[in-house]
């Protein structure tokens, strides 16, 4: 590594050194409480898959370049030089971690490993070693925002083609569009994913609730967050913010995508509208009696996987359970659950990157957790989780049907 590049990377590192990050770097006592909190370590007990093991790859650079003791006597402080070889360690820190933050709930100092992971991802971007598929997908999202006027008509036609499938789930009133676009003054701007699985059930549910809603032209997923690029994360989110402001909506409802929800809810600052997850919206409709569901539609025992970004990092635990109570009398909790639930192993960009061998290996503990419930239906409320759980279902032969919570609700809607 040339010294000029090293100095550029250290500049990126220095820009991330807030007082909180310095505390995370300096206060680890290596007590080990975080080690077994990680699903990857619990599934494959190697120190490099532990929270402290990953963080140490960054902490040793911090000691070398930002602490006097590391500068004066690096060997005595386990400080390490930043070179091309160490960038491989940094890659391991960034992409063997899903950012689920389960370890943080066990750390007595509350050290946020995801923040340390963010430094690793920024160093990889700075050295042009980040996963290119994540950067490419980020750039495609940004380009869509820049050229939205040229693609609106095509998108509208594609959405129009879905209307018959929406009407199969819920008949609309005469004159009502099954999937409305550009509704000024809508109560809800619904932000879906690219696939129709994210649009059709949600449209049926909002139509059944007689909601005044509008579908966003933009997809919810934020690949800028996955690759760890704050500027791209902001640009991707800003497309949706601008659309919501233009339409004057009251709420932006993020589809079943944990990272998209957390980015918009927690990282975009104060917004002139409320941000909610679609899970919260479904629970509200049920509580207010705006939709009704048939409890006989689901056959067999059902369990629920708490998506890390919606539950542990978003605080939404009870709304999905309220919805499930309305859907079935055969609900069984995973053990552990809620804040202590095991990550599915697919977050942090790993699903988009492929990485199936590692995802299966590092999530054995999740597969065991699902199997122990004896459930026939496995529900969740996140696209990444759904993909990962489906892969685990096949790989570990769990014999469950993996379902989105929204699809279960839509299929159980009671037509008066």
């Amino acid at each position: 590594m040339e010294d000029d590049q090293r100095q550029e990377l250290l500049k990126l590192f220095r820009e991330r050194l807030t007082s909180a990050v310095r505390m995370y770097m300096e206060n680890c006592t290596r007590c080990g409480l975080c080690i077994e909190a990680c699903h990857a370590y619990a599934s494959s007990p190697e120190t490099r898959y532990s929270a402290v093991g990953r963080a140490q790859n960054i902490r040793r650079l911090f000691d070398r370049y930002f602490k006097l003791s590391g500068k004066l006597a690096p060997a005595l402080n386990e400080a390490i030089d930043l070179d091309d070889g160490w960038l491989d360690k940094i890659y391991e820190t960034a992409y063997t971690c899903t950012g689920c933050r389960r370890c943080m709930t066990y750390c007595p100092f509350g050290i946020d490993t995801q923040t340390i992971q963010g430094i690793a991802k920024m160093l990889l971007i700075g050295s042009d070693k980040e996963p290119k598929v994540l950067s490419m997908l980020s750039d495609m999202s940004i380009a869509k925002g820049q050229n939205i006027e040229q693609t609106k008509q095509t998108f509208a036609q594609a959405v129009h083609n879905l209307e018959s499938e929406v009407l199969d789930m819920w008949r609309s009133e005469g004159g009502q569009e099954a999937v409305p676009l550009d509704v000024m003054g809508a109560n809800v701007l619904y932000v879906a994913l690219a696939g129709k699985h994210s649009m059709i059930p949600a449209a049926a549910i909002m139509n059944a609730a007689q909601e005044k809603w509008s579908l966003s032209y933009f997809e919810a997923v934020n690949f800028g967050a996955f690759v760890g690029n704050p500027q791209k994360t902001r640009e991707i989110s800003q497309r949706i913010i601008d659309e919501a402001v233009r339409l004057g909506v009251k709420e932006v409802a993020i589809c079943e995508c944990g990272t998209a929800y957390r980015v918009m809810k927690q990282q975009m600052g104060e917004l002139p509208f409320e941000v909610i997850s679609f899970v919260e919206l479904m629970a509200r409709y049920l509580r207010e009696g705006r939709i009704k569901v048939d409890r006989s539609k689901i056959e067999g025992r059902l369990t629920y996987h708490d998506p890390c970004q919606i539950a542990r990092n978003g605080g939404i635990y009870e709304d999905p359970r309220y919805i499930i109570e309305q859907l079935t009398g055969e609900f069984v909790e995973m053990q552990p659950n809620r804040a202590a639930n095991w990550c599915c192993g697919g977050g942090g960009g790993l699903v988009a990157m492929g990485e199936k061998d590692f995802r299966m290996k590092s999530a054995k503990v999740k597969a065991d957790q699902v199997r122990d419930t004896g459930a026939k239906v496995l529900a969740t409320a996140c696209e990444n989780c759904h993909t990962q759980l489906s892969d685990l279902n096949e790989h570990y032969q769990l014999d469950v049907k993996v379902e989105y919570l929204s699809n279960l609700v839509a299929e159980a809607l009671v037509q008066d």
Side-chain angles (χ1 to χ4, degrees):
M1 178 183 293
E2 299 292 334
D3 190 57
D4 287 351
Q5 183 187 9
R6 182 179 296 105
Q7 294 308 316
E8 285 298 316
L9 295 178
L10 292 175
K11 181 183 176 186
L12 292 174
F13 198 146
R14 188 178 295 106
E15 290 171 353
R16 290 293 185 104
L17 289 178
T18 62
S19 56
V21 173
R22 285 185 177 276
M23 188 275 284
Y24 298 153
M25 289 292 165
E26 294 177 349
N27 282 6
C28 178
T29 60
R30 301 196 204 180
C31 66
L33 290 176
C34 65
I35 291 179
E36 295 188 0
C38 177
H39 65 278
Y41 182 88
S43 299
S44 184
E46 299 177 53
T47 304
R48 61 182 178 146
Y49 294 148
S50 68
V52 64
R54 296 186 191 95
Q56 198 63 12
N57 293 335
I58 304 302
R59 204 168 271 125
R60 293 178 71 180
L61 291 176
F62 174 78
D63 288 346
R64 174 67 181 88
Y65 295 103
F66 301 105
K67 288 182 71 175
L68 183 60
S69 56
K71 292 178 181 178
L72 295 177
L76 297 177
N77 292 277
E78 298 185 3
I80 194 81
D81 287 336
L82 176 58
D83 57 24
D84 290 323
W86 201 252
L87 284 174
D88 293 337
K89 291 282 189 182
I90 292 172
Y91 191 95
E92 199 167 83
T93 293
Y95 292 105
T96 64
C97 173
T98 60
C100 79
R101 299 169 102 199
R102 190 173 192 267
C103 55
M104 185 178 175
T105 66
Y106 287 79
C107 176
F109 297 102
I111 293 175
D112 186 355
T113 304
Q114 193 180 38
T115 300
I116 298 174
Q117 181 196 26
I119 295 172
K121 289 189 171 184
M122 183 56 76
L123 292 176
L124 292 173
I125 292 170
S127 55
D128 196 31
K129 290 185 180 296
E130 84 281 14
K132 292 297 179 286
V133 64
L134 298 182
S135 287
M136 179 191 71
L137 291 168
S138 301
D139 292 341
M140 288 173 62
S141 295
I142 292 168
K144 182 179 178 181
Q146 293 168 341
N147 299 290
I148 187 61
E149 293 304 323
Q150 286 74 45
T151 61
K152 270 187 172 182
Q153 189 172 356
T154 302
F155 183 77
Q157 183 59 52
V159 167
H160 178 72
N161 294 340
L162 301 177
E163 291 192 346
S164 62
E165 293 181 73
V166 176
L167 294 174
D168 284 343
M169 284 188 145
W170 182 263
R171 68 175 188 277
S172 294
E173 302 298 327
Q176 180 182 344
E177 286 185 84
V179 188
L181 288 162
D182 271 331
V183 179
M184 298 298 295
N187 292 324
V188 175
L189 177 67
Y190 174 68
V191 191
L193 295 166
K196 66 179 184 180
H197 65 280
S198 179
M199 300 178 192
I200 293 171
I205 292 165
M206 287 185 282
N207 292 343
Q210 298 185 16
E211 186 63 88
K212 183 180 180 181
W213 70 283
S214 188
L215 176 67
S216 172
Y217 282 100
F218 302 106
E219 72 286 349
V221 63
N222 196 315
F223 291 105
F226 285 143
V227 78
N229 188 315
Q231 181 180 343
K232 291 184 179 180
T233 301
R234 163 62 70 176
E235 288 183 53
I236 292 168
S237 297
Q238 194 64 45
R239 308 167 310 160
I240 300 166
I241 294 169
D242 292 344
E243 182 183 32
V245 170
R246 176 176 64 81
L247 295 176
V249 303
K250 296 176 182 175
E251 293 181 318
V252 168
I254 304 294
C255 65
E256 290 163 294
C257 177
T259 297
Y261 168 72
R262 186 164 168 236
V263 168
M264 189 64 78
K265 179 75 175 182
Q266 298 180 356
Q267 299 179 14
M268 290 301 110
E270 188 174 349
L271 298 169
F273 48 79
E274 294 294 323
V275 177
I276 60 172
S277 77
F278 194 65
V279 173
E280 292 174 290
L281 192 59
M282 290 189 290
R284 182 198 301 169
Y285 291 158
L286 285 164
R287 288 192 178 98
E288 294 177 351
R290 294 172 66 178
I291 60 172
K292 296 177 182 176
V293 290
D294 183 347
R295 282 171 63 90
S296 69
K297 291 287 185 180
I298 298 173
E299 296 182 0
R301 184 179 291 183
L302 181 148
T303 191
Y304 177 71
H305 166 73
D306 284 295
C308 299
Q309 305 303 337
I310 292 176
R312 182 163 39 247
N313 295 324
I316 301 174
Y317 298 114
E318 302 312 320
D319 280 343
R321 287 166 173 78
Y322 176 78
I323 294 168
I324 290 168
E325 283 177 10
Q326 315 308 306
L327 288 169
T328 180
E330 293 191 67
F331 174 53
V332 57
E333 288 276 16
M334 292 187 191
Q335 299 299 332
N337 55 66
R338 294 178 170 79
N341 185 42
W342 288 110
C343 174
C344 70
L350 293 183
V351 164
M353 292 162 60
E355 301 291 341
K356 190 170 180 180
D357 287 347
F358 176 73
R359 287 193 287 115
M360 297 302 100
K361 172 185 170 184
S362 63
K364 181 180 181 300
V365 67
K366 185 74 220 182
D368 292 342
Q369 189 188 21
V370 173
R371 184 182 284 111
D372 288 346
T373 66
K376 291 298 179 185
V377 180
L378 169 56
T380 191
C382 173
E383 168 96 347
N384 261 342
C385 298
H386 188 281
T387 302
Q388 170 74 354
L389 294 170
S390 298
D391 287 344
L392 290 175
N393 187 29
E394 180 183 355
H395 184 81
Y396 289 101
Q397 300 181 350
L398 300 177
D399 193 26
V400 294
K401 185 177 183 182
V402 184
E403 286 275 14
Y404 290 102
L405 205 49
S406 62
N407 196 53
L408 292 175
V409 170
E411 289 188 336
L413 286 171
V414 175
Q415 309 253 358
D416 292 328

